[in-house]
Amino acid sequence: MTPGSETYSAVLALLFAIAAGMVGSFALMRRMLLAGDVISHIALPGLGLAFLLNFSPLLGGGTALFLGTLLIWQLQKKTGFTTDAIIGVVFAASVAIGAVLTPKEDLVEALFGKFQQLSSPAFAAGVACVIAIIVFVLQFKDQLTLSLFSTELAAATGVKLNRLNLYFLLAFSLTVLVGLRFMGGLLAGALIILPATTGRRLGRDIAQFLLFSCTASALAVGLGLVLSNYVLHTSTSGPTVVIISAVLFVLSLLKTPK
Amino acid sequence: MTPANILSVRNLSIAFGNRIVIRGLSFDVHAGDDLAVIGPNGSGKTVLLKALLGLVPFQGDIVWSPAARVGYVPQRVAADRQLPLSVYDLLAAKARFLKLSAKEIESVAEIVGLSRDLLHANVGVVSGGQFQKALIAFALLGNPNVLLFDEPTASLDELAEERIYELVAQLRRQKGLTVIMVSHDLSVVHRSANLVLCLCKDRPCLGPPQEMLTPDMLAELYSAPPQYYQHQHDHRGTLTGTGTKL
């Protein structure tokens, strides 16, 4: 481990928070927010296999997520079902397989995450993923907006919907993947969900919505890491971050609707 | 396709599963035409527009002239009322996607007559007529020379509908637009269209409105029971002399 690698972890966690806020905002508008929760579970068989065979959990989780995403995309095209239905099918199977595969002593870490030191390559890979996600959302913001309003008008305007859907799903899964280690398989998707709901309460248009979601997300991760490390003295960081996200959402309820 | 053709359709067939909606349809549209597409419910009017836009799979050939820039006003958009999206945001998203300047948004808003209040209203809360105007503004962004216009739904009151048609006619005059419009309002068709395409399963016909919109033809198109239809079939042999049988 390099010195300061905990700083790496913290920086990556905050960047992840921003990506999760952005992706979550659009996921909320696409009505696929719950998929965030569920899609993280798809990583569980990969995580379990990694713990069992002693290779990188990130690699295991990532492979499982990638294959799961492709499977969802294919099944969606084939059946014409909405994304949530297909994700529901793949998710149930994944949790079951993950639970069977993961050795008992690693189960808590796999499910709830662990804040730990990061090697430089792992940090670099994580940052590259997060930047790719943020660039994707900023670059495709208008196409995503058009397709939210009407897929038909978006297509008539020249938006390649099929490609856009795939990119969005990949960005979505990538976000979950980056959060997987310190949020855990059960909670990695929660940071896509909770800050977005807070952002939606506070933002009046899409730009504000994105801004508030990212702020809420970064705040939850920052405070959560500080709390779990220095106050609660636990390395299981996922639950703390999620609780703070939930508190922020409750606070956002104080804002009276316009 | 001859040089003046902006659109050429040959042998177009569209089916959803076993249900054939359009079979073997061929027609041409010239620059500056105002083509009205009429036909009973389920005859494939909306589907035809969608095929012209490449939104539904089809067999046959649809060839647009390279000069064609197509704007589309759909019949309805089931916009999610929860979306934090104003009319302006929507227009701006399209403008940025097509790399148009913000000035163009102002320009189409002015042409269509979108007030400042309406521009900044949420897409989920504007009235039917205003929504239709916003959709026309959306279609006009990017300076199209062809407008595909699916008729406004019954949700519009007659006055609003009249204004929308008037607006389209005005655009056609001012900008020399080619218009392909699906319509149920035959008085409008008679007044503004220079060509009428009647869609009925067996024999689609194309011709000028005064020749197409005869009582016999309309009876057959809109209200004839099957046996009556057969009877009319013979009778229409005389009509095809005026309309063009396709």
Side-chain angles (χ1 to χ4, degrees):
Chain A
M1 290 292 143
T2 52
S5 58
E6 248 177 31
T7 318
Y8 282 173
S9 299
V11 168
L12 181 58
L14 283 172
L15 282 174
F16 157 73
I18 291 169
M22 283 184 165
V23 169
S25 300
F26 278 102
L28 184 146
M29 291 186 280
R30 290 169 76 105
R31 293 168 182 259
M32 55 177 287
L33 207 48
L34 213 51
D37 211 9
V38 167
I39 218 166
S40 65
H41 301 17
I42 294 172
L44 283 172
L47 278 183
L49 215 58
F51 282 119
L52 192 69
L53 303 176
N54 222 354
F55 64 92
S56 157
L58 208 59
L59 184 68
T63 311
L65 263 185
F66 181 69
L67 293 178
T69 307
L70 283 186
L71 185 68
I72 289 165
W73 184 56
Q74 276 299 325
L75 284 175
Q76 197 180 359
K77 274 207 315 190
K78 210 165 207 113
T79 60
F81 286 2
T82 51
T83 318
D84 63 325
I86 305 296
I87 288 179
V89 171
V90 179
F91 137 81
S94 302
V95 173
I97 298 170
V100 170
L101 285 178
T102 313
K104 264 217 172 67
E105 61 273 20
D106 296 319
L107 204 55
V108 169
E109 189 186 329
L111 293 179
F112 297 110
K114 187 179 176 189
F115 183 72
Q116 59 198 354
Q117 300 191 327
L118 269 184
S119 65
S120 306
F123 174 71
V127 169
C129 287
V130 170
I131 288 176
I133 296 161
I134 293 174
V135 167
F136 160 74
V137 175
L138 293 179
Q139 196 72 29
F140 285 79
K141 187 165 66 76
D142 295 320
Q143 298 189 40
L144 288 166
T145 303
L146 292 174
S147 74
L148 278 172
F149 177 69
S150 157
T151 47
E152 201 173 73
L153 270 186
T157 307
V159 175
K160 304 269 180 287
L161 286 176
N162 211 10
R163 203 183 59 179
L164 185 69
N165 287 339
L166 175 66
Y167 287 175
F168 188 76
L169 264 181
L170 284 176
F172 197 90
S173 302
L174 208 55
T175 310
V176 172
L177 177 69
V178 177
L180 208 52
R181 286 300 281 143
F182 78 99
M183 294 292 290
L186 274 193
L187 294 178
L191 216 56
I192 288 181
I193 302 174
L194 281 159
T197 55
T198 309
R200 182 66 191 92
R201 289 279 313 163
L202 301 177
R204 291 166 65 100
D205 55 35
I206 289 184
Q208 280 189 15
F209 178 15
L210 286 173
L211 191 67
F212 281 116
S213 299
C214 293
T215 310
S217 186
L219 211 59
V221 167
L223 285 177
L225 290 186
V226 169
L227 257 184
S228 55
N229 276 315
Y230 300 108
V231 181
L232 303 171
H233 300 291
T234 167
S235 63
T236 312
S237 42
T240 327
V241 171
V242 173
I243 289 171
I244 291 176
S245 292
V247 170
L248 288 177
F249 173 67
V250 172
L251 288 178
S252 77
L253 296 177
L254 295 176
K255 185 196 165 204
T256 46
K258 58 173 188 303
Chain B
M1 193 163 67
T2 62
N5 278 7
I6 200 146
L7 169 68
S8 179
V9 174
R10 289 288 169 273
N11 250 326
L12 176 72
S13 294
I14 304 169
F16 295 109
N18 289 331
R19 198 168 73 87
I20 296 169
V21 185
I22 288 175
R23 189 202 306 261
L25 179 64
S26 300
F27 64 93
D28 293 318
V29 178
H30 300 91
D33 272 348
D34 184 343
L35 172 72
V37 182
I38 64 171
N41 286 330
S43 59
K45 305 184 293 293
T46 295
V47 168
L48 173 63
L49 288 198
K50 289 184 181 175
L52 295 180
L53 288 158
L55 299 178
V56 293
F58 60 85
Q59 290 183 314
D61 296 313
I62 294 175
V63 183
W64 287 99
S65 137
R69 292 183 308 277
V70 182
Y72 171 48
V73 185
Q75 189 175 44
R76 76 181 118 214
V77 169
D80 182 352
R81 287 180 178 271
Q82 296 290 321
L83 280 182
L85 191 68
S86 68
V87 172
Y88 186 87
D89 291 338
L90 180 70
L91 296 175
K94 179 175 176 181
R96 281 192 300 262
F97 176 57
L98 296 180
K99 303 195 179 1
L100 310 171
S101 72
K103 270 200 182 132
E104 299 212 28
I105 302 175
E106 284 167 31
S107 154
V108 293
E110 198 184 312
I111 291 171
V112 176
L114 294 178
S115 65
R116 190 152 287 274
D117 280 353
L118 178 54
L119 260 182
H120 294 285
N122 189 287
V123 288
V125 301
V126 299
S127 74
Q130 290 171 328
F131 192 70
Q132 202 70 27
K133 272 185 167 183
L135 289 180
I136 296 174
F138 185 90
L140 290 178
L141 260 183
N143 198 23
N145 52 11
V146 182
L147 197 62
L148 299 191
F149 193 102
D150 208 343
E151 63 166 358
T153 44
S155 66
L156 291 186
D157 59 47
E158 246 174 67
L159 194 63
E161 206 173 311
E162 192 65 29
R163 281 200 195 122
I164 299 281
Y165 285 133
E166 181 49 43
L167 177 63
V168 174
Q170 192 188 328
L171 284 171
R172 186 176 161 241
R173 286 193 301 270
Q174 285 171 357
K175 300 184 123 221
L177 281 178
T178 306
V179 176
I180 300 178
M181 180 189 282
V182 165
S183 183
H184 265 132
D185 190 333
L186 297 175
S187 62
V188 169
V189 171
H190 207 276
R191 218 170 38 232
S192 64
N194 70 326
L195 269 179
V196 177
L197 175 66
C198 292
L199 289 183
C200 50
K201 252 184 193 145
D202 292 351
R203 284 217 304 210
C205 308
L206 183 75
Q210 53 276 27
E211 292 169 7
M212 298 296 289
L213 302 178
T214 60
D216 287 343
M217 174 71 87
L218 297 177
E220 180 181 314
L221 260 174
Y222 287 103
S223 57
Q227 64 275 29
Y228 186 52
Y229 179 81
Q230 285 304 324
H231 167 76
Q232 282 296 93
H233 205 269
D234 298 335
H235 179 67
R236 215 176 70 192
T238 58
L239 259 179
T240 51
T242 52
T244 313
K245 193 173 88 177
L246 298 161

